[in-house]
Amino acid sequence: MTRGIVAQLAEEGRDLSRAALEALAIDAYRTDRITAHQLCEVLDIPSRYELDGFLEQHGVPLEYSIEDFEREGATSGRLWEKRQAELARDRERQRGA
């Protein structure tokens, strides 16, 4: 009977100790006891992008602050300006050729 319950706790083919670690870490993240960065470290998740996917798979709403939005907006603006400068240089080269 106990084996059946244990099998239900971990998805088929998954290591129960890994499932337990993930559950504890997710709970700590949800309750603001650890940060997203710490969650990545403890679960050996290499990037924020992959963390977002992991959290989505586990039904955890993504934490997205106004600071995140502003930082991404600033980055997008810099990348847009850089791309516009590259396109202007390409147009100048084409005119000169």
Side-chain angles (χ1 to χ4, degrees):
M1 172 111 168
T2 302
R3 284 182 188 247
I5 296 169
V6 170
Q8 286 177 315
L9 292 174
E11 295 172 19
E12 189 173 325
R14 290 198 60 220
D15 177 34
L16 183 59
S17 62
R18 175 64 186 194
L21 175 63
E22 288 177 0
L24 287 169
I26 289 169
D27 182 62
Y29 176 76
R30 279 186 174 149
T31 58
D32 295 322
R33 289 179 288 152
I34 64 173
T35 66
H37 179 74
Q38 290 170 320
L39 184 59
C40 283
E41 284 184 355
V42 78
L43 296 179
D44 197 29
I45 297 173
S47 71
R48 179 63 196 224
Y49 177 78
E50 290 181 58
L51 175 63
D52 288 350
F54 172 82
L55 292 173
E56 187 177 325
Q57 287 176 339
H58 290 84
V60 178
L62 299 180
E63 181 182 299
Y64 192 75
S65 68
I66 189 69
E67 291 83 11
D68 293 331
F69 176 77
E70 290 170 348
R71 183 176 43 255
E72 288 183 7
T75 299
S76 294
R78 284 192 307 274
L79 291 173
W80 186 84
E81 288 174 8
K82 180 180 177 185
R83 182 64 181 144
Q84 293 306 308
E86 290 170 351
L87 291 171
R89 282 192 302 273
D90 289 347
R91 283 190 297 271
E92 286 299 316
R93 280 190 212 121
Q94 288 175 356
R95 285 184 196 142

